[in-house]
Amino acid sequence: MHLYTLTNSNNNFRMIIMKPMKFLKLPALLAFMLLLTGCGSSLVLENVDYSQPLESVLSPDSDGVVHDQRYAIQFNITPLLEYEGTDSVEEIRLIRNTPGFYFVTADGFSNVYIFSPGEGELSLHEEVELPDGPISEPAFNQRTTHIELIYQSSGQTYNLDQNGIR
Amino acid sequence: MNAPIKKIYITTTILLLAFLQTALVAQQSDYQIQQNFSAELSELTQRIDTTQSPGELAKLEIELDELRSRYAEHEELINAALYPETYQKRMNETEEQLSVALDNASVIDQLNSRITSLVGEIDAYRSQITDLNENTQALREQLQRAESNEERQAALLTQYRQSLEERNSFVSGFLQNLMSRYQNVDLGTQQEIAEAAERLDDNPIEILKSIILDYINIVDESTSLETPDYVAMRAQHEYFSEVWNSIGSNLVNTFSPENSSETKTEIDELMAAWVLSVDNQLWESLNDTFSQNGIDLEVFTTPDEFYDAIYNYVDNGHVTSLERNSEEDFAVYQNFSTFWNETVKAEWGDMLIEGEILSQSQISEIDIKLNDWEEASKPTSNLMFILLIVSVAVIVGLIVLLITKKN
């Protein structure tokens, strides 16, 4: 569509410049190039699948940093622990769904936190408070349409997406 | 319970079971599934590594099949977790490892059987050689006690010789057995047998040592033996030596791998001591025997000197016969020829060659020289000379008669 518009404009422009003002040919060409560059910046690849097939189980180091080498992400969980109101966890469980949101929780957490990735940051997109209280032995499974949260101790399951419990 | 209620009950039960099964499946953590798979496979591979029994490995094979069937439905999930490896690759690697372990176990099993068989054979050998030694020892003692009774001593000596021959034959059989087993054994098999043989209390090397020591003992302690006995002993030594040269290195590498060089040297030294013991008796006994038969040879203490002594004796006889051509020389020739052909060659010939006391070519050279001696020693006949004189006399007589008649 953009290209189409650009092509028509270019034809009109050429008709204008061909006869009286040949000396304006070079600036016109430059303007055309600029227009083309502007069109390239709006390129969008769709239907991207960000989903991790398996959750990552990550242990924070002494500074609270977790590093997932397989899926190449590293962040500090200290603010999250403060937000959750706990001092420490042995490991956190992390999974990314198809649209690209990160789901984070840990044993003893009362919530599942859903983050959206930004430029050098993860922003809390949704905080899901679970009805059964603190989560015992949680695990995430990637499913076709959602993320499955299971309580391994009880077998209780919840289906989640980036907006919360489905 | 009436039919509709029963139908509702069954339907409810089926639905409940289906729900429970769904719940059961749903509550599995994918992460845990792949973790369990990796842990179980790792534990299984470790057990394969440490198991040597074919029976135990067969059980592990069943466990591996069970593991495969249990996790086959999670292959995609496990592939995602293991990337860039795959479930199939891991399973195939483990199957290959198991296959190699089964092959190795089979080899070890065969070796164990071989060692068990070897232990049995060694025990049997020990038992039999002990019986033979006891028999020989008893006969030797009886011989010593029967010195005053010549008839009985002769009978015992015959038995004693038979006992030694039986022992030689048994040892030769044992050596032949060793030859067939260890002459062409490759390095890998040597190492495998060596590992298994660590469990042996006794082994062929120790048996060889004791055989040699027994031989030395027999030579040193026997006083009633004669030249053929010592010649036979030297032949037995040479056969033993031949076998040892052929399989000695393989045997020490197999049964004494940690100090193979020292063990080989030890056996080599025992072999040298054995032949020295035999030679100490042999040369003296040979000289006595020749002397008792009217043949006085030069002193000899080695095979080459022995050959030289015989050759020189024949050569000297030949030279003397050429010079004198006397009846007496011919008698000397006949005496030697008879002893040489009927006793030395006919009775001891094979053992002299086997014992490397005389070679076939040396015997031939002596035979050729003996033929020359025979030619030279035969007394020349005067009959032809007498006939010639008679003929001349007759001719002269006839001529005289003819002339006389004419006149």
Side-chain angles (χ1 to χ4, degrees), chain B residues 126-144:
Chain B
R126 274 285 183 208
S127 169
Q128 196 159 350
I129 199 77
T130 303
D131 288 348
L132 289 167
N133 284 344
E134 284 172 0
N135 188 30
T136 309
Q137 174 70 19
L139 284 167
R140 193 161 59 216
E141 286 169 5
Q142 286 178 46
L143 265 171
Q144 284 165 356

Side-chain angles (χ1 to χ4, degrees), chain B residues 177-223:
Chain B
N177 191 333
L178 287 181
M179 280 271 278
S180 63
R181 284 180 187 206
Y182 299 104
Q183 190 169 22
N184 298 317
V185 68
D186 60 64
L187 192 62
T189 310
Q190 277 178 29
Q191 285 169 347
E192 285 165 359
I193 295 175
E195 284 169 20
E198 285 174 4
R199 286 172 287 151
L200 286 175
D201 295 329
D202 208 352
N203 67 51
I205 297 270
E206 293 305 317
I207 288 177
L208 289 181
K209 281 186 202 170
S210 71
I211 287 173
I212 300 171
L213 286 169
D214 288 339
Y215 272 124
I216 294 172
N217 195 33
I218 288 169
V219 180
D220 289 346
E221 293 190 7
S222 297
T223 52

Side-chain angles (χ1 to χ4, degrees), chain B residues 141-202:
Chain B
E141 286 169 5
Q142 286 178 46
L143 265 171
Q144 284 165 356
R145 284 199 299 270
E147 275 178 355
S148 56
N149 186 338
E150 283 186 12
E151 196 175 332
R152 177 163 167 68
Q153 195 178 29
L156 283 170
L157 193 58
T158 305
Q159 278 186 46
Y160 184 55
R161 285 190 179 124
Q162 282 173 352
S163 153
L164 289 179
E165 277 172 19
E166 194 180 348
R167 190 179 183 285
N168 279 351
S169 170
F170 183 72
V171 170
S172 297
F174 176 72
L175 293 176
Q176 193 62 44
N177 191 333
L178 287 181
M179 280 271 278
S180 63
R181 284 180 187 206
Y182 299 104
Q183 190 169 22
N184 298 317
V185 68
D186 60 64
L187 192 62
T189 310
Q190 277 178 29
Q191 285 169 347
E192 285 165 359
I193 295 175
E195 284 169 20
E198 285 174 4
R199 286 172 287 151
L200 286 175
D201 295 329
D202 208 352

Side-chain angles (χ1 to χ4, degrees), chain A:
Chain A
M1 186 66 185
H2 287 285
L3 280 172
Y4 177 74
T5 306
L6 274 173
T7 308
N8 283 343
S9 303
N10 195 35
N11 286 339
N12 294 336
F13 187 68
R14 191 172 57 188
M15 285 195 301
I16 293 166
I17 63 170
M18 283 290 279
K19 291 175 182 173
M21 292 175 8
K22 284 187 178 177
F23 60 91
L24 286 177
K25 195 172 182 180
L26 184 63
L29 191 63
L30 287 170
F32 173 69
M33 297 288 286
L34 283 169
L35 278 169
L36 271 180
T37 313
C39 286
S41 65
S42 62
L43 178 66
V44 174
L45 303 178
E46 294 183 336
N47 297 321
V48 176
D49 182 357
Y50 286 104
S51 64
Q52 290 181 207
L54 280 173
E55 66 175 338
S56 300
V57 180
L58 308 170
S59 297
D61 65 13
S62 56
D63 296 326
V65 174
V66 291
H67 184 194
D68 184 355
Q69 290 187 327
R70 187 175 186 88
Y71 296 107
I73 184 171
Q74 177 176 305
F75 56 91
N76 194 312
I77 61 164
T78 311
L80 177 62
L81 296 183
E82 285 171 4
Y83 191 88
E84 173 69 20
T86 184
D87 294 334
S88 64
V89 287
E90 283 189 14
E91 54 189 23
I92 65 155
R93 307 184 90 91
L94 172 77
I95 196 165
R96 198 175 190 190
N97 70 354
T98 306
F101 291 89
Y102 285 101
F103 293 68
V104 182
T105 193
D107 189 30
F109 271 27
S110 301
N111 304 294
V112 171
Y113 298 93
I114 304 169
F115 291 96
S116 61
E119 199 171 309
E121 63 182 23
L122 288 171
S123 306
L124 185 61
H125 175 77
E126 194 67 47
E127 177 184 343
V128 182
E129 186 175 357
L130 296 159
D132 297 331
I135 310 167
S136 176
E137 297 179 36
F140 289 125
N141 288 337
Q142 186 68 253
R143 297 291 176 251
T144 314
T145 56
H146 58 276
I147 297 294
E148 182 182 67
L149 171 69
I150 61 172
Y151 289 26
Q152 292 183 88
S153 54
S154 64
Q156 178 70 47
T157 65
Y158 295 98
N159 295 338
L160 307 172
D161 62 19
Q162 62 271 25
N163 299 316
I165 298 174
R166 295 178 61 175

Side-chain angles (χ1 to χ4, degrees), chain B residues 274-288:
Chain B
W274 176 17
V275 78
L276 190 66
S277 283
V278 173
D279 283 357
N280 281 341
Q281 308 286 341
L282 174 68
W283 306 126
E284 191 180 340
S285 174
L286 269 173
N287 198 30
D288 288 348

Side-chain angles (χ1 to χ4, degrees), chain B residues 59-71:
Chain B
K59 287 180 189 168
L60 293 182
E61 196 172 18
I62 294 169
E63 284 188 39
L64 185 61
D65 287 343
E66 286 172 357
L67 188 127
R68 183 187 271 282
S69 61
R70 203 154 9 102
Y71 284 98

